[in-house]
Amino acid sequence: MNTPALDRRGFLRATALAGALPLLPSLAGTAAAPASAIAAASGAALPAPAAWRLRPFALADVSLSSGLFEDKRALMLDYARGYDVNRLLQVFRVNAGLPTLGAVAPSGWEGLDGEANGNLRGHYTGHFLSMLSQAYASTGEQVFADNISTMIGALVECRQALNRSPSVRSVPGRFGTAVESQRGSYEFAQLPTTVLGGAAELTFAAWVRPSHGAAWARIFDFGNDTTRYMYLAARNQNGLPRFAITTGGAGREQGINANVALPVGEWSHVALTLADTVATLYVNGVVAGRNTAMTLGPAQLGQLRNYWLGQSLYPDPVYAGAFDDVNLWSRALTDAEVAALRTQPASAAPAGRGDLASYDLDEPDGQVLHDFSGRAQHATWLRTWGGPSHPGFLAAYPETQFITLETMTASNYFVVWAPYYTAHKILRGLLDAYLATGDLRALDLAEGMCDWMYSRLSKLPAATLQRMWGIFSSGEYGGIVEAICDLHALTGKAEHVALAKLFDLNRLIDSCAGAQDILDGLHANQHIPILTGLVRLHDETGEDRYLAAARGFWNMVVPARMYSIGGTSTGEFWRVSGRIAGTISDTNAETCCAHNMLKLSRMLFFHEQNPKYMEYYERALFNQVLGSKQDKADAEKPLTTYFIGLTPGHVRDYTPKQGTTCCEGTGMESATKYQDSVFFAAGDGSALYLNLFVASTLRWAAKGVIVEQSTAFPVEQDTRLTISGNATFDLMVRVPAWVGPGFAVAVNGKALKLDAVPRTYLRVARTWRSGDVVTISLPFTVRTEAALDDRSLQSLFYGPVNLAVRDASRSYLSVGLYRNAALSGDLLPSLTPVEGKPLHFTLDGRELAPFHEGTEDPTHVYFRRSEPIVVFGGRDSGVANPVRANGVSLLDELWSGAPYGSKTELLKKLESLTSSWVTDGLLSAGDRSTILATAKCAQFVP
């Protein structure tokens, strides 16, 4: 990487941070350090908060091995290697008035023409930086570091450009050179208020080359406001030039619509003459429109406040394109004089230079556009949103996005679309880049952004902040508090904690801390990352309300608003607690929500080792997150879902909105950090937590050991840990809630006599020796999970894996599963394995497949459970399965008592159960006898 020379401030920061760089003790005698670990030595360490009882390992410390997760990641890494980062930088460069190197931004939400006026542009760049940083930390591949360096260097240039007055951009012109306003740069020329000099007649002539076809962009606009003005627009609503003049607003305009268009990307000569009652509009020297009934002219407008080239008095797009040879005369040129301007500059034409103003526009740089009329009417090159931005500001759109938010009272994403959300993505990407590569420029950019935010927000009244953060979409700020707290952990600056607290949304904090559920109707992903930030704010301040709010919030989402695959939200919003079946739609389970719920669960687990957090983490990771990534390569898009519809027969869309939404961004990040929660260490180094069963290798430098986890899980139902190195620590093995009978742990082939309880961690205390092998058996069973508000609507699981039915039907399928239920309660005997396709089964002629497979097959995550007849071991009793008023059937009650140690035990339970149903009047004595006889003759799988 090429890092510029540091100034004194940068040098002091570098020396101060030297002590924060991670130490990599020698692993001599165990194994050579991988290239990724060596590469990470150029990065920086984020100190673990003292409040955390557990410590995560760096991505460089845990490498993925061959298997499901590595295969998914490989697809994303290919995309990351090949994508031209200059395309993402284009929006930053044009906003700063810098050359774009010919790059074109992606479409969708990113880009100048993105959804809602491109008001979220720049967010995807932040996600991409985070992805590259994680990819580099995980693999050590230089291509990722090089792309990071390119992006950081460009962002440094952009911030420098934003912090100074704009300078003209010189381009080849119609005669010599010209000046250009790039699309997205918001640049225009301001002429002096004396430019018309009280003229009663007027001719305006210029060469223009539009670079974009936006309607109503102005070639010139002279006026006070939207009541008194005259303008020439390059395109009206029909794509044709229009001149208009008025002293009474738009409804009283007098004007001309031309009969010929100005082609995008081509030079065209336009001229307007005004004299007495006649106005004439010319295109390329030919009359394109004439109005002979004019009553207004420059004299009627009088002295005006604004004389602009390229800018509008209305909220119209700024003209994007080039200007050349702009002239103004105090008389109406003749048709012949205008025609002559088609072939030569005004300075050489019969009309001569404009006597009011004449701009050759040959300036190579600077802000001044020189007037050669002899009247010294020099123009100034400006940005619509002001001169230099405030120090530290960095974005891909104007600072006005942030300023306007401060007075908004309702959402309007066409005006302002979540500027602090976008700032978070950029800030997070910068911090990740610094932590991965040690590039001090990234840290300086991050500090500058936070200093700039503090300078704005600290001056606002508390009531204004509460209003801002409560506005849907426009006030969304993502995980910015978490990022600010991470920066504080690096810098120790008190202003950074103060800044983080300025984002407190008190209504949310107080309600969640007090277990008052107010989530109904709230935008899900606007709020989930707020709580992750609150955990970090607790870490930095010690204030208990923040941690209490995060815990309370988590319990309001899991399981009360959680779909079986781990996702949450419908159409981006939450509904009333416990309503699952009633919210099934094509827009369930926004991928960003799952990504951020994983982060929150992980962070809460650092504080409180409640297995429920990692149970959720596994569910969402192995199902929704893996299933949100399509299993194919693409050079242009990351191919991840936005929503995952849970309606019957839904087909996943892996390229929504052209592939640059928030969910593609979090999808990129998820796929490059799959290993981040496989292992954790106790804060004092006394224990190693095995949370996830993922093929991977941990290099635990502090203990001098390597722990290799070998498994094909979830295809394989066990895992093996091989220890290299000698150390004493407790191995904490998660005993999953889903595990079936037969869970076992063996060390060096000897089974341990330990009481393994599902939903706990099993402690294996030992002084480990190099070569020790731990084998963990994790038997799967097939089970169902019912929706909280409709027990007949169910999902099917095999161990941790959601099995979705592949079927194009758009109605819920009717599925029965008790027919061959095992004595253990396992429903697996009712399914038929598909040969050669692990984790695939058939049932009633339909295929069931793991949800994590990223295909475009229509799927059914939920189905209607139907057990109309009492059946045992495949034997049909012919008796209808009775159902209580609460929806629980006889078979439900019977199998809820599993496991049964023997057929005799099951029959004894069935006898007492059916007797109570007869007593309750729900079953006849004759049907009871038939049921018992059928069960006695049935053959049950253990």
Side-chain angles (χ1 to χ4, degrees):
M1 296 182 298
N2 295 318
T3 303
L6 295 175
D7 57 17
R8 182 174 181 274
R9 180 185 178 208
F11 173 77
L12 291 174
R13 183 184 295 112
T15 54
L17 287 171
L21 296 179
L23 300 176
L24 297 174
S26 171
L27 296 179
T30 57
S36 58
I38 296 170
S42 64
L46 184 64
W52 289 3
R53 296 174 61 188
L54 298 183
R55 301 289 189 268
F57 289 97
L59 292 179
D61 295 334
V62 184
S63 56
L64 291 177
S65 304
S66 179
L68 172 61
F69 286 90
E70 188 186 48
D71 291 345
K72 288 271 189 179
R73 185 184 69 172
L75 295 169
M76 196 64 76
L77 291 180
D78 282 345
Y79 166 72
R81 289 186 193 97
Y83 198 86
D84 181 7
V85 296
N86 287 302
R87 294 185 62 189
L88 303 175
L89 295 166
Q90 189 251 12
V91 290
F92 285 87
R93 284 172 166 148
V94 296
N95 186 55
L98 298 174
T100 63
L101 309 183
V104 177
S107 55
W109 284 6
E110 198 69 23
L112 302 172
D113 296 310
E115 186 175 338
N117 305 320
N119 282 343
L120 208 67
R121 60 187 179 273
H123 81 114
Y124 198 73
T125 304
H127 284 300
F128 206 92
L129 257 179
S130 291
M131 173 183 65
L132 290 176
S133 301
Q134 292 172 176
Y136 180 56
S138 296
T139 69
E141 291 185 37
Q142 189 62 34
V143 63
F144 300 127
D146 290 344
N147 283 338
I148 291 169
S149 184
T150 296
M151 296 179 76
I152 297 301
L155 293 176
V156 168
E157 292 175 355
C158 289
R159 187 178 71 173
Q160 291 171 344
L162 289 169
N163 200 31
R164 59 176 181 256
S165 297
S167 179
V168 298
R169 172 179 164 83
S170 181
V171 296
R174 184 63 180 81
F175 305 110
T177 59
V179 297
E180 181 181 51
S181 175
Q182 293 187 91
R183 171 90 170 145
S185 67
Y186 303 94
E187 293 174 346
F188 71 106
Q190 179 173 281
L191 310 186
T193 57
T194 55
V195 67
L196 295 188
E201 298 183 359
L202 177 68
T203 296
F204 173 92
W207 282 95
V208 295
R209 186 182 63 196
S211 59
H212 191 265
W216 301 113
R218 303 294 201 256
I219 294 173
F220 76 78
D221 201 338
F222 301 161
N224 288 339
D225 46 35
T226 56
T227 300
R228 196 175 197 86
Y229 56 77
M230 65 176 172
Y231 69 75
L232 176 60
R235 278 175 172 73
N236 62 11
Q237 73 274 16
N238 298 317
L240 299 171
R242 172 172 171 77
F243 165 73
I245 184 170
T246 183
T247 57
R252 299 179 62 184
E253 285 184 356
Q254 299 176 14
I256 309 167
N257 292 313
N259 57 19
V260 61
L262 307 180
V264 172
E266 297 180 14
W267 284 106
S268 298
H269 189 266
V270 292
L272 167 78
T273 62
L274 270 173
D276 299 323
T277 62
V278 180
T280 306
L281 191 55
Y282 301 84
V283 175
N284 291 325
V286 177
V287 174
R290 180 167 279 157
N291 186 337
T292 59
M294 301 291 293
T295 62
L296 296 175
Q300 285 69 42
L301 291 180
Q303 182 62 46
L304 302 170
R305 289 192 295 270
N306 306 298
Y307 295 84
W308 294 334
L309 300 181
Q311 165 72 322
S312 173
L313 289 160
Y314 283 89
D316 295 314
V318 179
Y319 168 79
F323 288 102
D324 197 6
D325 200 37
V326 176
N327 286 268
L328 293 91
W329 289 266
S330 60
R331 64 183 180 87
L333 299 190
T334 65
D335 290 351
E337 287 176 316
V338 172
L341 296 173
R342 175 77 175 82
T343 59
Q344 53 196 317
S347 59
R353 288 186 179 277
D355 62 326
L356 295 177
S358 180
Y359 304 102
D360 290 349
L361 302 179
D362 289 329
E363 287 78 9
D365 53 33
Q367 275 194 280
V368 178
L369 304 177
H370 293 90
D371 169 36
F372 294 96
S373 70
R375 296 183 63 235
Q377 299 298 298
H378 307 305
T380 306
W381 194 248
L382 300 171
R383 289 193 192 101
T384 63
W385 48 285
S389 64
H390 291 91
F393 174 72
L394 177 63
Y397 44 58
E399 198 171 359
T400 48
Q401 279 279 297
F402 298 86
I403 297 169
T404 303
L405 175 62
E406 295 168 7
T407 57
M408 291 180 69
T409 58
S411 176
N412 185 342
Y413 81 150
F414 288 95
V415 177
V416 172
W417 188 6
Y420 285 96
Y421 175 93
T422 308
H424 162 245
K425 303 311 171 192
I426 299 167
L427 177 62
R428 182 77 261 171
L430 292 171
L431 285 173
D432 290 341
Y434 168 67
L435 293 169
T437 68
D439 192 331
L440 289 168
R441 298 174 301 171
L443 182 62
D444 185 65
L445 288 169
E447 280 197 71
M449 287 185 69
C450 288
D451 292 346
W452 167 79
M453 284 188 278
Y454 184 69
S455 71
R456 288 210 68 82
L457 297 177
S458 63
K459 294 177 175 60
L460 296 177
T464 299
L465 293 172
Q466 294 302 310
R467 173 177 48 76
M468 284 167 56
W469 308 143
I471 299 175
F472 159 60
S473 189
S474 297
E476 184 175 356
Y477 56 78
I480 201 165
V481 174
E482 177 192 354
I484 295 168
C485 289
D486 285 352
L487 179 62
H488 175 257
L490 293 169
T491 67
K493 289 177 64 173
E495 291 90 344
H496 293 155
V497 169
L499 170 61
K501 296 185 72 170
L502 291 173
F503 288 93
D504 281 4
L505 183 55
N506 289 330
R507 177 173 178 263
L508 180 71
I509 296 171
D510 294 340
S511 64
C512 290
Q516 178 188 358
D517 192 329
I518 63 165
L519 302 189
D520 185 17
L522 292 186
H523 183 236
N525 199 53
Q526 181 166 347
H527 294 84
I528 298 171
I530 294 178
L531 279 300
T532 305
L534 293 182
V535 178
R536 288 291 292 114
L537 197 49
H538 161 80
D539 298 337
E540 299 302 306
T541 66
E543 293 189 33
D544 289 337
R545 71 189 283 255
Y546 294 133
L547 185 58
R551 286 172 172 157
F553 170 86
W554 194 92
N555 291 325
M556 294 173 191
V557 176
V558 182
R561 292 178 171 89
M562 181 193 75
Y563 299 106
S564 59
I565 58 172
T568 186
S569 80
T570 180
E572 298 193 6
F573 290 83
W574 281 308
R575 297 296 177 246
V576 68
S577 178
R579 194 162 177 231
I580 301 299
T583 60
I584 298 294
S585 73
D586 282 331
T587 57
N588 293 128
E590 183 185 354
T591 301
C592 277
C593 294
H595 173 88
N596 285 312
M597 282 299 297
L598 290 187
K599 293 185 70 175
L600 178 60
S601 301
R602 179 178 191 260
M603 205 168 287
L604 286 171
F605 191 68
F606 292 153
H607 285 268
E608 175 190 357
Q609 287 68 66
N610 190 327
K612 69 181 183 180
Y613 296 124
M614 294 316 297
E615 291 287 337
Y616 171 80
Y617 196 101
E618 179 185 62
R619 176 192 293 267
L621 178 65
F622 274 78
N623 294 291
Q624 171 159 0
V625 172
L626 281 181
S628 69
K629 174 71 185 86
Q630 189 171 16
D631 295 333
K632 78 174 189 179
D634 193 289
E636 288 292 309
K637 300 178 181 67
L639 298 185
T640 61
T641 59
Y642 191 117
F643 297 116
I644 293 180
L646 299 177
T647 50
H650 181 81
V651 176
R652 276 170 252 175
D653 180 2
Y654 299 96
T655 54
K657 298 178 182 287
Q658 292 76 53
T660 55
T661 68
C662 53
C663 290
E664 276 78 21
T666 53
M668 293 189 299
E669 294 184 43
S670 291
T672 48
K673 66 176 185 68
Y674 287 138
Q675 75 270 37
D676 75 342
S677 298
V678 176
F679 299 99
F680 296 146
D684 60 2
S686 63
L688 177 68
Y689 281 70
L690 174 62
N691 305 308
L692 301 172
F693 310 110
V694 174
S696 55
T697 300
L698 165 67
R699 291 168 174 83
W700 193 3
K703 287 289 186 179
V705 299
I706 293 176
V707 182
E708 181 181 3
Q709 181 173 193
S710 304
T711 184
F713 188 93
V715 173
E716 184 180 10
Q717 298 179 25
D718 55 37
T719 189
R720 292 161 301 285
L721 303 180
T722 302
I723 313 296
S724 298
N726 304 324
T728 300
F729 59 87
D730 295 345
L731 178 65
M732 305 295 291
V733 179
R734 186 172 65 87
V735 185
W738 48 259
V739 76
F743 175 89
V745 178
V747 177
N748 299 328
K750 183 179 180 180
L752 301 182
K753 295 181 179 180
L754 299 170
D755 186 17
V757 179
R759 294 188 175 89
T760 66
Y761 275 77
L762 185 68
R763 184 187 304 273
V764 182
R766 183 178 174 87
T767 295
W768 302 93
R769 302 300 180 199
S770 194
D772 282 349
V773 177
V774 182
T775 304
I776 305 167
S777 298
L778 299 154
F780 289 8
T781 61
V782 171
R783 71 188 190 284
T784 61
E785 291 185 5
L788 297 178
D789 52 339
D790 184 350
R791 63 175 297 106
S792 75
L793 197 66
Q794 300 184 359
S795 287
L796 193 65
F797 281 84
Y798 186 42
V801 178
N802 173 254
L803 295 177
V805 183
R806 289 184 176 170
D807 192 284
S809 171
R810 297 296 289 171
S811 300
Y812 286 115
L813 302 175
S814 180
V815 175
L817 292 162
Y818 286 142
R819 67 192 71 176
N820 285 304
L823 291 172
S824 65
D826 190 357
L827 301 174
L828 180 61
S830 295
L831 309 182
T832 303
V834 177
E835 187 176 354
K837 298 177 73 174
L839 302 177
H840 284 243
F841 303 89
T842 59
L843 178 66
D844 295 334
R846 299 186 180 97
E847 184 175 16
L848 293 91
F851 185 86
H852 64 240
E853 292 186 352
T855 72
E856 293 178 296
D857 294 295
T859 59
H860 293 243
V861 170
Y862 286 96
F863 54 83
R864 289 289 178 197
R865 184 70 177 274
S866 177
E867 306 283 354
I869 304 297
V870 176
V871 181
F872 298 108
R875 283 182 172 267
D876 189 336
S877 70
V879 177
N881 181 25
V883 180
R884 294 189 185 276
N886 63 2
V888 177
S889 73
L890 172 67
L891 288 178
D892 290 335
E893 284 197 12
L894 174 68
W895 289 111
S896 68
Y900 296 105
S902 65
K903 179 178 177 180
T904 300
E905 184 180 336
L906 180 142
L907 291 175
K908 184 177 179 180
K909 173 67 174 178
L910 184 61
E911 287 177 0
S912 63
L913 184 63
T914 52
S915 177
S916 69
W917 280 67
V918 171
T919 300
D920 293 342
L922 299 172
L923 184 68
S924 71
D927 285 345
R928 177 177 183 263
S929 297
T930 302
I931 289 172
L932 292 175
T934 303
K936 288 176 183 177
C937 294
Q939 298 295 318
F940 291 94
V941 176

